[in-house]
């Protein structure tokens, strides 16, 4: 009579604690990128037939930073980073509102300055709302999928984790954001809206795919220098 074959249990995924300075730097950069991209997103941009917004070149960086944080520190820490970055973004939006509401000079220069501020920063609260819902949903899905895949593969298949989680997260993020932000930047017809969504999703995903080697190298660099990684 043969005994049942047993298989070794899968090793738990390795993560680092947030006691070192690296997490703080990553979080600070993520928050700055997010705030700047929210400002840029209030401007509609037309590059030939391509419709996008002024934050298009910044926002993918937030997802790359999210991948690094999720891979090195785990889902709970990634969720904390997402919430913290958006709390700072909401605070920045509140500051813009106060700055615009404060009484300014009534000469021609003061009036022109006030008009410029209202045009540049006035729509930002709505952009923040769009980003809040989109980024929370997209980044949470991105982090959750990446960490779940890591639980199955361990330290292997890093590229597959980054790419697989990015596709899902970016799609949810882009769809939610564009649905709310379209009217803010002046998109009113269906054809332009579809262009906005498709271009945004393909662009963000392509950028993340192109930067996978950089993301993977950054993750490896931080893992080697985090004293608590895998401890």
């Amino acid at each position: 009579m043969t005994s049942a074959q047993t298989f070794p249990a899968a090793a738990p995924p390795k993560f680092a604690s947030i006691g070192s300075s690296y997490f703080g730097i990553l979080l600070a950069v993520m928050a700055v990128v997010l705030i700047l991209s929210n400002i840029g997103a209030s401007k509609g941009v037309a590059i030939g037939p391509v419709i996008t917004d002024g934050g298009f070149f910044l926002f993918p960086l937030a997802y790359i930073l999210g991948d690094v944080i999720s891979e090195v520190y785990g889902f709970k820490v990634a969720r904390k980073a997402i919430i913290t970055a958006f709390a700072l973004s909401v605070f920045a939006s509140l500051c813009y509102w106060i700055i615009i509401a404060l009484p300014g000079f009534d000469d021609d220069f003061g009036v022109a300055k006030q008009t410029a501020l209202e045009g540049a920063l006035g729509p930002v609260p709505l952009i923040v709302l769009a980003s809040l819902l989109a980024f929370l949903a997209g980044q949470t899905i991105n982090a959750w999928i990446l960490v779940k895949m890591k639980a199955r593969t361990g330290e292997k298949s890093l590229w597959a984790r980054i790419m697989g989680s990015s596709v899902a997260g970016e799609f949810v993020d882009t769809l939610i954001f564009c649905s709310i932000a379209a009217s803010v930047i002046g998109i009113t017809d269906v054809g332009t809206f579809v262009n906005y969504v498709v271009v945004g999703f393909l662009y963000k995903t392509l950028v993340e795919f192109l930067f996978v080697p950089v993301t993977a190298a950054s993750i490896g660099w931080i893992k080697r220098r985090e004293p608590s990684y895998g401890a």
Side-chain angles (χ1 to χ4, degrees), residues 71-72 150 155 219-226 229:
E71 173 69 22
V72 177
K150 185 174 182 178
E155 295 298 304
I219 288 172
W221 189 89
I222 295 176
K223 283 180 177 179
R224 291 190 297 270
R225 286 162 177 77
E226 272 287 8
Y229 185 77

Side-chain angles (χ1 to χ4, degrees), residues 111-216:
V111 172
K113 195 73 171 179
Q114 177 70 17
T115 302
L117 282 171
E118 290 175 356
L121 300 180
V124 168
L126 290 177
I127 297 294
V128 169
L129 173 62
S131 295
L132 178 62
L133 298 177
F135 192 76
L136 283 177
Q139 274 281 17
T140 301
I141 290 173
N142 178 72
W144 184 80
I145 291 176
L146 189 147
V147 172
K148 284 294 183 180
M149 292 178 69
K150 185 174 182 178
R152 293 188 176 186
T153 62
E155 295 298 304
K156 300 178 182 179
S157 305
L158 175 59
W159 284 38
R161 289 198 295 277
I162 295 173
M163 295 171 71
S165 62
S166 296
V167 169
E170 291 288 13
F171 177 76
V172 172
D173 182 291
T174 304
L175 184 60
I176 294 175
F177 177 81
C178 292
S179 298
I180 300 173
S183 62
V184 178
I185 66 174
I187 295 175
T188 56
D189 61 278
V190 176
T192 306
F193 174 74
V194 172
N195 185 321
Y196 186 35
V197 173
V198 172
V199 169
F201 169 67
L202 293 179
Y203 166 77
K204 293 173 185 177
T205 305
L206 177 61
V207 168
E208 286 222 44
F209 283 8
L210 291 176
F211 275 84
V212 163
V214 178
T215 305

Side-chain angles (χ1 to χ4, degrees), residues 30-103:
M30 175 186 278
V32 170
V33 167
L34 185 59
I35 290 171
L36 292 177
S37 66
N38 286 338
I39 296 174
S42 64
K43 175 181 178 177
V45 173
I47 305 174
V50 175
I51 303 298
T52 183
D53 57 62
F56 77 97
F57 66 98
L58 279 170
F59 198 75
L61 296 178
Y63 263 80
I64 292 172
L65 291 165
D67 286 337
V68 174
I69 292 173
S70 300
E71 173 69 22
V72 177
Y73 300 98
F75 179 72
K76 290 183 179 180
V77 174
R79 183 173 58 189
K80 180 183 296 185
I82 295 166
I83 294 173
T84 302
F86 263 95
L88 293 173
S89 186
V90 170
F91 174 72
S93 183
L94 177 61
C95 290
Y96 303 149
W97 179 79
I98 294 174
I99 291 169
I100 291 173
L102 289 172

